[in-house]
Amino acid sequence: MLDGSGGLTEQYKIFAKNLFSIEAVLNEAQFSKESYDKAFLRMAFSAVITSMETYLSDLFFEKVIGNDENIDSLLKNSAEFQSRKFSVDEAIYFHEKKKSEAEKYIKDIIWHNLPKVSHLYRKVLSIQFDSSLTPDINKLIGVRHDVVHRNGRKKNGGLHTIDVEKVKGCISSVKDFIEKIEDNARNI
């Protein structure tokens, strides 16, 4: 549960609105034809994870790109930037375009790669992901991957069962995960 101090970030407001819309559609849907229901529920499940990714991406982008110290921290804590070698001329030129390089880098991150995203949030923004929630979120991301790329099939050929309760459980888990991040983000 979010603590009451301070305002919510714009990213959280968009996230909450997205989840509210998914929940509203779930509550008003007239489930009547199994094949339609399964397709709809798979899309709803995927939309929850997409909303989480969007929140993580948009919040990180705003907090980093709007602050030179955070841009420098991103460059220092990103394996991709650490491995680069520059001549003096290249280093001077890079310094002049570091903001655009950081923007490009952030936009290319796969935001459901929680180990990488967690590392960047921790090192750049000093926001620690709740380790008690992360394993569940990773499992949900795995299910979403199967839903999007295999139409709900697991690698072993079995099907994920995505019903209304599974979608609502996903919403609840993702909401808990994001609320803990939001509590910390509002203090940056």
Side-chain angles (χ1 to χ4, degrees):
M1 184 61 70
L2 291 171
D3 91 21
S5 63
L8 299 171
T9 63
E10 284 304 309
Q11 294 81 10
Y12 185 82
K13 291 174 187 176
I14 292 167
F15 167 78
K17 185 178 178 182
N18 287 339
L19 291 192
F20 177 81
S21 296
I22 295 166
E23 288 176 309
V25 171
L26 276 177
N27 291 334
E28 295 198 21
Q30 299 293 318
F31 296 104
S32 60
K33 192 166 184 181
E34 188 177 353
S35 62
Y36 297 164
D37 298 348
K38 287 180 180 180
F40 169 75
L41 291 168
R42 286 191 306 265
M43 287 187 288
F45 188 94
S46 295
V48 175
I49 301 300
T50 300
S51 295
M52 176 191 74
E53 291 174 319
T54 303
Y55 170 86
L56 292 171
S57 168
D58 291 353
L59 181 71
F60 192 82
F61 187 89
E62 179 185 294
K63 298 294 184 185
V64 171
I65 297 305
N67 181 304
D68 278 341
E69 287 178 21
N70 286 345
I71 291 173
D72 290 343
S73 183
L74 172 66
L75 300 175
K76 290 175 189 171
N77 288 290
S78 156
E80 291 85 344
F81 286 110
Q82 286 180 349
S83 65
R84 291 188 186 178
K85 304 290 184 216
F86 297 100
S87 69
V88 173
D89 287 342
E90 290 169 329
I92 292 168
Y93 177 70
F94 182 83
H95 180 75
E96 292 172 0
K97 64 176 189 145
K98 72 179 181 179
K99 183 175 181 178
S100 64
E101 287 287 322
E103 287 176 0
K104 181 183 179 324
Y105 176 77
I106 292 169
K107 290 176 181 176
D108 287 342
I109 293 172
I110 306 299
W111 289 95
H112 58 260
N113 179 346
L114 283 191
K116 179 177 187 170
V117 172
S118 174
H119 169 80
L120 291 173
Y121 262 80
R122 185 177 66 256
K123 293 292 191 177
V124 177
L125 301 178
S126 299
I127 294 176
Q128 182 77 36
F129 288 5
D130 187 327
S131 61
S132 70
L133 300 175
T134 305
D136 186 40
I137 297 299
N138 276 320
K139 286 178 189 169
L140 295 171
I141 290 168
V143 172
R144 188 272 200 144
H145 179 272
D146 290 347
V147 164
V148 169
H149 298 288
R150 294 188 187 97
N151 202 29
R153 279 200 195 285
K154 302 174 188 177
K155 285 183 181 179
N156 68 9
L159 278 173
H160 288 283
T161 302
I162 308 291
D163 56 18
V164 172
E165 292 310 310
K166 180 102 174 181
V167 177
K168 287 183 178 183
C170 182
I171 291 169
S172 178
S173 294
V174 167
K175 192 183 294 183
D176 289 347
F177 179 70
I178 294 299
E179 284 179 353
K180 297 218 179 209
I181 295 168
E182 177 70 9
D183 272 338
N184 291 301
R186 291 181 294 155
N187 299 322
I188 296 176

